[in-house]
Amino acid sequence: MSLPHAILTALLEKPSSGLDLTRRFDKSIGYFWSATHQQIYRELGKLEAEGHIRALPSEQPARGQKKSYEVLPAGRAELARWTAASQDPKPYRETLFLRLRAAAVVGTEGVRGIEADLRRHLELHRRQLSEYEEIETRDFPPGKDSPQDRLQHLILRAGIDLETFWTRWLTHALEEFAELPERSAQSR
């Protein structure tokens, strides 16, 4: 149910077309809540049908023109309701962890494929961490501390902390892999 709320948030920040929303998702919200162009357009239609948003009047004929949307009072009220509602954490699912657990049960003969994934994941997380740190330096200099800035920086810090965790854990996991025997005769 969060995609409509992500769209409402983005539209309250700035009325936008579906294409503009897709671009903005790629640059900000998409770091923690991704959506395809098609998903965004589907949700825009639903939000409009529910009376939460409306297409802005176009100065030119609508045929072939992109529609821009704005949030209506009902949409703002829905976003405020959702923001204030309590929500439990979602169960965490990570395929890599499950593969490691399975290797512990069936033996380590296939772990070299996992090791290659660990190396690839480490590189991806290092790149993401670097990108987040660049954003922090660029967008959050000392003294930029309005409530909106502080909340946005808090979200960015979560990304930095998560990527820091992953790079540390993956580095440790690769060190452990270096200590594993080539083949394990384990079978239970």
Side-chain angles (χ1 to χ4, degrees), residues 73-91:
R76 181 179 282 276
E78 168 54 23
L79 188 59
R81 181 208 60 77
W82 179 78
T83 301
S86 178
Q87 196 170 50
D88 292 335
K90 300 285 183 216

Side-chain angles (χ1 to χ4, degrees), residues 101-120:
R101 180 69 183 256
V105 174
V106 300
T108 58
E109 290 178 10
V111 296
R112 295 303 162 213
I114 297 172
E115 183 177 12
D117 277 355
L118 291 172
R119 290 184 193 290
R120 188 173 57 80

Side-chain angles (χ1 to χ4, degrees), residues 36-153:
T36 65
H37 189 71
Q38 293 83 5
Q39 289 171 317
I40 290 171
Y41 273 95
R42 263 195 312 270
E43 287 303 324
L44 285 170
K46 290 177 188 175
L47 287 167
E48 191 172 26
E50 293 167 352
H52 291 160
I53 65 172
R54 73 175 179 126
L56 292 170
S58 177
E59 295 172 10
Q60 299 174 355
R63 189 172 180 89
Q65 295 292 110
K66 61 183 182 180
K67 285 195 234 178
S68 286
Y69 296 88
E70 70 177 353
V71 177
L72 295 171
R76 181 179 282 276
E78 168 54 23
L79 188 59
R81 181 208 60 77
W82 179 78
T83 301
S86 178
Q87 196 170 50
D88 292 335
K90 300 285 183 216
Y92 185 71
R93 296 168 61 172
E94 175 55 58
T95 305
L96 187 58
F97 293 165
L98 184 57
R99 290 173 63 204
L100 286 169
R101 180 69 183 256
V105 174
V106 300
T108 58
E109 290 178 10
V111 296
R112 295 303 162 213
I114 297 172
E115 183 177 12
D117 277 355
L118 291 172
R119 290 184 193 290
R120 188 173 57 80
H121 285 226
L122 177 58
E123 181 55 34
L124 292 170
H125 286 287
R126 282 181 175 156
R127 273 189 273 172
Q128 190 65 65
L129 176 59
S130 177
E131 186 175 341
Y132 285 162
E133 288 171 338
E134 288 174 20
I135 292 169
E136 183 177 42
T137 300
R138 181 190 70 220
D139 294 348
F140 297 99
K144 190 172 181 184
D145 63 353
S146 72
Q148 180 182 5
D149 291 332
R150 291 178 78 155
L151 290 173
Q152 289 179 344
H153 193 198

Side-chain angles (χ1 to χ4, degrees), residues 160-175:
I160 290 170
D161 291 347
L162 285 169
E163 296 304 331
T164 299
F165 159 77
W166 276 111
T167 56
R168 286 181 182 159
W169 183 85
L170 288 161
T171 299
H172 175 75
L174 286 165
E175 290 167 356

